[in-house]
Amino acid sequence: MSTTTPLAKAAGGTADFFDTRVGAGKMVKEFARKVFPDHWSFLLGEIALYSFVVLLLTGTFLTMFFVPSMTEVHYPEDALPVAMRGVEMSEAFASTLNMSFHVRGGLLMRQIHHWAALLFMASIVTHMMRVFFTGAFRKPRELNWVVGFTILILGLAAGFTGYSLPDDVLSGNGLRITDGVVKSIPVIGSYMSFMIFGGEFPGTEIIPRLFTAHILLVPALILALIAVHLVLIVVHKHTQYPGPGRSNRNVVGYPLFPVYVAKAGGFFFVVFGVLAIMGATLAINSVWAYGPYDPSPVGAGAQPDWYMLFLEGSLRLMPGQPEFVIAGYTISLNVLIPAVVIPGLLFTALAAYPFLEAWVTGDKREHHVLDRPRNVPTRTGVGVAILTAFIILVLAGSNDILATHFNLSINSITWVFRFLFFAGPVIAFIVTKRLCLALQRRDRELVLHGHETGRVVRFASGEYIEVHQPLTDHERWLLVGHEPVRPLEIGPGENERGVARPAYKKAVRRSKLSNFFFADRVEPVTPSELAASHGHGEHEEIESAESNEGLLTNASTRG
Amino acid sequence: MVKALASARRHRFAPVVLMLFALLAVGGIYAVAAPQAAVADSASQDDVTEGEKLFQANCASCHGPSAEGRTDVAPSLIGVGAASVHFQVSTGRMPMAANAPQAPEKGVQFSTEQTAQLAAYVASLAPGPAIPDGEQVDPALGDAANGMLVFRTNCAMCHNAVGAGGALSEGKYAPSLFNSTPTEIYEAMLTGPQSMPVFNDENITPEAKRDVIAYLMEQRADDSSPGGANLGAIGPVSEGMWVWIIGMGALIGASVWIGAKSS
Ligand code: HEM
């Protein structure tokens, strides 16, 4: 355009104003030139981000009608639902009912908020699985893994505090269990419980306190950590899947602006849309069905939201016996072990894994190209094992529902899960690792022999062969591009003069772990092997060669 | 029912719900009215004689020729009353078929008339709880809010908060109450079938029993789930399952689609 419209002039002026004062131009240019690689699994984190935005928006609406108070009131005789008329309840519960039945759009907002909470946690977990199985947590991204892990824990806290707010029977049951778990901590337990509830459970303080945590503290922390998370992604640049032209030194993808922004913006509306549809058509947490909290009744099917089910399951699996009274003090190992020790172990394993793996491999290089899960069988196996443990606990937390819906005995389900909790992860590890190795062998086959075409040719001599079609360069790159990792070798324990090497024991331990990780492996095809396979014809068996060099060497650092 | 109709107003699924409502009304009228008509004046001597014949043919093999019970096979029915027989036979529990952890409900085998005759016969052996009349079980006369409180304290631990059912030990279960008729609900409380405790009239007064019926019927009213599909009314486990199937399913599908568009 040759003539400058007043609008464009104003826009230009504003841009200039910011540019000269905070260097906005450079920042925008820097950002807009960022390149993001494309893969559907890179959108999982975005689902989490957008459901969090939806949580903030709907949550703000809820605060305008929710009354965080435990004052006892009688529900009005002329209000809906019928089954609650005149019933004694807390103001928190009454305001939740009122919001659901008498505030326009209130029920919709509550339901979207709750579905978004479930989706938030589901997408975080799926996103974490992607990062884990592709090895995206390796240097330099270990810290961002820890940030993400902390967001997961804060997400649990947000969900737990929110779930407890409406003060219905289920939220009260949840708080009662929390109270029991806190009290099971030796020595300080009962003091802590009194501190949390402001006296004996349930007291009149807990809902206002949870409210502050739920709408202020936890969301603010999550927001801050999301900001750190995103900044670190920009700083590190995005990882990419292996492929031709992709190395640890570059990023292949689309510029942030306009392609990626358009896609991401569109995706926000997809997430919002799915949540809106779920909120409009699927009932969630119909608190009037459970009724106001009252410590005496416990309904069948009283469970926490899915992301807390593993805790419930852990408690349900634990036999009741290990409770001792020592010198007048009760030690409740039957609560402490399932509710604190086991989740503690599982979560610590999850948080620490990147550091453990880095120590085992001794690999100090930066990694920007992702692993295909099959090429790292032990990590993939460990991941599936941890996941299996969680899934078994989730199922154990649903044991009564499984019993009624599949006509099983709840006692036998519980015994099967007790056994599976220990055996399941081991079996899952072994099976997954074997599967990965088998897949790698198939990759080798494919590289060496090409695709089967099903076309059989007969030579003049009478010999039959099946024609194989060699892989394209693109296909081959994917299958041979990774570098083989071998167990660490340690020298003898003593030097030439028979003096013991310092820190030898540590080295032995590390080499044992390294063996556990890498002793079973299938090496990628080397150029010499490939050449041999072409030289000798398709149907000759080729033993894995000793040659170390990869067909396509990857540079280990990027500029 | 009239009350329920009046509050049907703002429902999203009005046509579907109307359909369901019509079906429910027909079913309800049949279930409530039909047995009552047959039962109310049932104590004639003819009924007892007919009932005895039916009993000898269908029940005596287990319960003994004069309903005195047989050790390790089936309990005595002397004194269980008409209510127990009506409940057991009209829900298809009796005559019992398979040896399951609890007598399962199966196809009802006797007409309402025959059921009334069987009940009359057993009632003639010794006095016991009678089949409740239409007014005793009329949900319109009950107070659903009080019923909610009674149900929560006495029944929800086995049957779930809205009566969706739940698991008991060793493969036993408290069934869903979504299809029980008001009469069956009353009789179940009165007679305590199998693992269920008996709630006699001191325990839960007849008025409170009717309130419970009103509460349970409220759960089937067309506006009982204003939030949309109730996903089985079994709480957070099914909600969690659906967020993975529908929520994550749809969004991963969308992600794959967006990812595929580019390359
Ligand atoms: C950080 C992520 C968040 C999660 C995982 C989350 C989760 C939840 C859950 C599960 C509930 C129970 C809803 C129900 O009644 O069924 C809830 C209630 C509530 N949330 Fe959140 N929430 C989050 C953020 C927020 C924010 C940022 C606000 C306010 C600005 C908020 C305000 C509320 C209010 C007022 C309630 C009580 C209303 C009611 O129970 O109906 N939430 N939240």
Side-chain angles (χ1 to χ4, degrees):
Chain A
M1 251 203 274
S2 50
T3 51
T4 322
T5 63
L7 187 67
K9 225 166 119 192
T14 316
D16 195 50
F17 178 87
F18 283 110
D19 196 16
T20 47
R21 277 161 189 80
V22 292
K26 225 174 119 214
M27 238 158 67
V28 168
K29 226 195 261 158
E30 227 345 77
F31 243 77
R33 274 186 34 237
K34 285 278 173 241
V35 159
F36 278 83
D38 247 324
H39 191 268
W40 67 266
S41 71
F42 297 159
L43 293 178
L44 294 171
E46 277 178 42
I47 302 179
L49 179 63
Y50 302 147
S51 20
F52 182 67
V53 174
V54 173
L55 279 167
L56 289 178
L57 294 175
T58 50
T60 307
F61 180 94
L62 298 184
T63 55
M64 297 174 192
F65 302 97
F66 180 73
V67 184
S69 151
M70 291 169 93
T71 310
E72 289 294 315
V73 295
H74 285 269
Y75 200 61
E77 286 291 348
D78 56 352
L80 286 173
V82 179
M84 290 297 150
R85 289 181 181 163
V87 173
E88 193 180 12
M89 57 181 68
S90 66
E91 263 193 289
F93 188 75
S95 65
T96 307
L97 291 183
N98 181 56
M99 173 162 33
S100 307
F101 286 88
H102 297 286
V103 171
R104 198 172 292 274
L107 180 57
L108 179 65
M109 285 295 173
R110 263 195 69 224
Q111 298 203 138
I112 296 182
H113 191 71
H114 207 135
W115 283 119
L118 299 196
L119 188 75
F120 181 57
M121 298 308 294
S123 50
I124 287 184
V125 169
T126 322
H127 172 61
M128 214 166 170
M129 275 155 52
R130 196 282 288 173
V131 170
F132 185 92
F133 289 118
T134 58
F137 55 75
R138 288 170 300 169
K139 191 181 172 188
R141 297 183 179 77
E142 307 99 316
L143 272 187
N144 220 6
W145 168 268
V146 176
V147 171
F149 173 81
T150 316
I151 296 179
L152 171 79
I153 301 293
L154 286 170
L156 292 178
F160 171 76
T161 50
Y163 184 81
S164 306
L165 286 182
D167 204 20
D168 59 301
V169 168
L170 285 194
S171 46
N173 287 164
L175 286 174
R176 188 51 163 164
I177 294 178
T178 315
D179 177 48
V181 170
V182 171
K183 280 184 176 151
S184 79
I185 300 171
V187 188
I188 55 168
S190 31
Y191 298 100
M192 278 180 67
S193 162
F194 269 62
M195 187 186 79
I196 293 171
F197 291 94
E200 184 60 76
F201 173 88
T204 53
E205 304 273 308
I206 188 69
I207 300 272
R209 289 181 181 180
L210 287 173
F211 186 68
T212 312
H214 183 73
I215 68 154
L216 186 73
L217 211 58
V218 181
L221 282 174
I222 294 182
L223 201 60
L225 283 180
I226 288 181
V228 174
H229 200 66
L230 295 180
V231 166
L232 281 179
I233 289 172
V234 171
V235 169
H236 293 144
K237 304 188 180 64
H238 210 292
T239 52
Q240 52 192 341
Y241 279 96
R246 298 177 178 188
S247 77
N248 275 327
R249 277 198 294 218
N250 67 8
V251 191
V252 179
Y254 290 92
L256 183 67
F257 202 82
V259 180
Y260 207 74
V261 163
K263 279 190 177 195
F267 197 49
F268 171 75
F269 288 103
V270 174
V271 174
F272 205 164
V274 166
L275 283 173
I277 291 174
M278 291 183 81
T281 57
L282 305 175
I284 184 165
N285 204 18
S286 305
V287 286
W288 49 94
Y290 311 126
Y293 182 56
D294 161 356
S296 51
V298 179
Q303 265 115 349
D305 277 347
W306 78 263
Y307 44 84
M308 285 291 187
L309 260 182
F310 70 96
L311 262 179
E312 173 89 15
S314 176
L315 281 163
R316 287 187 185 193
L317 284 192
M318 183 72 190
Q321 289 85 4
E323 184 172 83
F324 310 104
V325 180
I326 301 173
Y329 291 97
T330 311
I331 309 286
S332 299
L333 292 185
N334 53 345
V335 178
L336 198 64
I337 292 176
V340 181
V341 177
I342 289 186
L345 286 176
L346 282 172
F347 278 108
T348 312
L350 209 56
Y353 186 83
F355 303 97
L356 180 76
E357 193 186 294
W359 183 73
V360 172
T361 55
D363 185 353
K364 301 266 182 327
R365 299 167 304 164
E366 295 205 344
H367 292 276
H368 302 283
V369 174
L370 296 170
D371 286 324
R372 298 173 78 217
R374 69 180 62 169
N375 290 340
V376 201
T378 306
R379 176 204 296 150
T380 307
V382 168
V384 174
I386 295 182
L387 217 53
T388 308
F390 272 106
I391 291 173
I392 288 170
L393 289 182
V394 166
L395 290 177
S398 327
N399 58 3
D400 55 330
I401 308 266
L402 293 179
T404 44
H405 284 68
F406 298 100
N407 280 328
L408 300 167
S409 152
I410 198 165
N411 307 56
S412 29
I413 298 184
T414 304
W415 274 106
V416 167
F417 282 147
R418 278 177 185 164
F419 169 75
L420 272 185
F421 178 70
F422 295 100
V426 178
I427 297 171
F429 174 78
I430 295 171
V431 170
T432 310
K433 193 171 158 187
R434 287 290 130 201
L435 275 176
C436 288
L437 290 170
L439 283 169
Q440 286 192 56
R441 282 197 197 94
R442 207 195 62 173
D443 286 352
R444 268 185 72 85
E445 279 300 293
L446 209 59
V447 173
L448 291 176
H449 302 298
H451 296 291
E452 290 183 5
T453 57
R455 210 149 56 77
V456 177
V457 180
R458 186 180 162 195
F459 287 114
S461 61
E463 185 193 11
Y464 286 96
I465 65 153
E466 189 192 347
V467 179
H468 284 229
Q469 186 192 345
L471 301 185
T472 64
D473 285 348
H474 272 76
E475 288 171 321
R476 197 182 308 116
W477 181 297
L478 194 64
L479 302 185
V480 301
H482 59 290
E483 30 182 84
V485 188
R486 306 203 172 85
L488 292 177
E489 307 250 342
I490 49 163
E494 297 159 353
N495 65 13
E496 314 83 65
R497 268 172 272 147
V499 180
R501 267 169 51 195
Y504 182 66
K505 280 231 176 80
K506 198 172 153 200
V508 170
R509 239 179 293 138
R510 186 164 166 179
S511 115
K512 275 201 184 124
L513 257 180
S514 175
N515 252 304
F516 169 74
F517 265 78
F518 304 114
D520 294 329
R521 66 188 185 283
V522 176
E523 307 236 338
V525 178
T526 58
S528 45
E529 285 178 297
L530 193 64
S533 87
H534 288 320
H536 296 295
E538 311 285 30
H539 46 300
E540 205 149 297
E541 197 57 53
I542 288 128
E543 292 303 315
S544 101
E546 277 308 296
S547 163
N548 190 353
E549 60 192 287
L551 184 61
L552 296 151
T553 38
N554 277 343
S556 52
T557 52
R558 64 173 143 180
Chain B
M1 292 261 167
V2 179
K3 207 187 314 174
L5 242 187
S7 54
R9 50 211 191 288
R10 309 163 299 206
H11 208 283
R12 213 175 292 110
F13 298 135
V16 182
V17 159
L18 263 179
M19 237 339 248
L20 273 177
F21 187 72
L23 283 173
L24 255 175
V26 173
I29 288 166
Y30 172 78
V32 180
Q36 246 73 69
V39 170
D41 52 346
S42 60
S44 79
Q45 190 53 43
D46 273 1
D47 286 340
V48 175
T49 330
E50 282 304 308
E52 182 166 9
K53 281 192 203 141
L54 284 168
F55 188 88
Q56 296 306 337
N58 298 288
C59 325
S61 57
C62 294
H63 287 286
S66 39
E68 75 283 13
R70 291 176 56 184
T71 332
D72 295 336
V73 179
S76 160
L77 298 185
I78 296 169
V80 300
S84 181
V85 175
H86 182 255
F87 173 82
Q88 298 283 348
V89 176
S90 70
T91 58
R93 285 181 168 82
M94 289 293 148
M96 195 167 106
N99 211 344
Q102 81 188 37
E105 288 179 70
K106 46 191 188 336
V108 180
Q109 302 204 357
F110 297 95
S111 69
T112 38
E113 196 193 352
Q114 288 171 320
T115 309
Q117 290 165 342
L118 276 168
Y121 165 68
V122 172
S124 75
L125 300 173
I131 300 170
D133 62 36
E135 198 175 308
Q136 276 176 299
V137 301
D138 186 355
L141 302 175
D143 171 3
N146 185 49
M148 187 274 296
L149 294 175
V150 175
F151 192 83
R152 269 196 342 160
T153 341
N154 296 291
C155 326
M157 62 285 228
C158 296
H159 287 286
N160 146 311
V162 291
L168 304 178
S169 61
E170 309 291 357
K172 295 184 192 139
Y173 58 93
S176 152
L177 306 182
F178 291 155
N179 298 315
S180 304
T181 64
T183 308
E184 283 164 20
I185 297 171
Y186 197 99
E187 289 168 345
M189 288 188 269
L190 210 54
T191 65
Q194 300 187 66
S195 321
M196 176 167 156
V198 173
F199 296 92
N200 61 29
D201 286 352
E202 266 111 76
N203 224 316
I204 298 180
T205 62
E207 290 75 45
K209 285 194 172 84
R210 189 162 60 191
D211 295 346
V212 167
I213 292 172
Y215 172 67
L216 286 174
M217 292 299 135
E218 190 68 36
Q219 301 310 314
R220 306 177 199 172
D222 50 333
D223 62 351
S224 72
S225 182
N230 72 8
L231 309 179
I234 51 170
V237 170
S238 74
E239 290 159 9
M241 189 182 83
W242 288 112
V243 85
W244 280 95
I245 295 177
I246 298 185
M248 286 309 282
L251 290 173
I252 288 182
S255 306
V256 172
W257 179 68
I258 293 174
K261 281 277 130 182
S262 62
S263 40

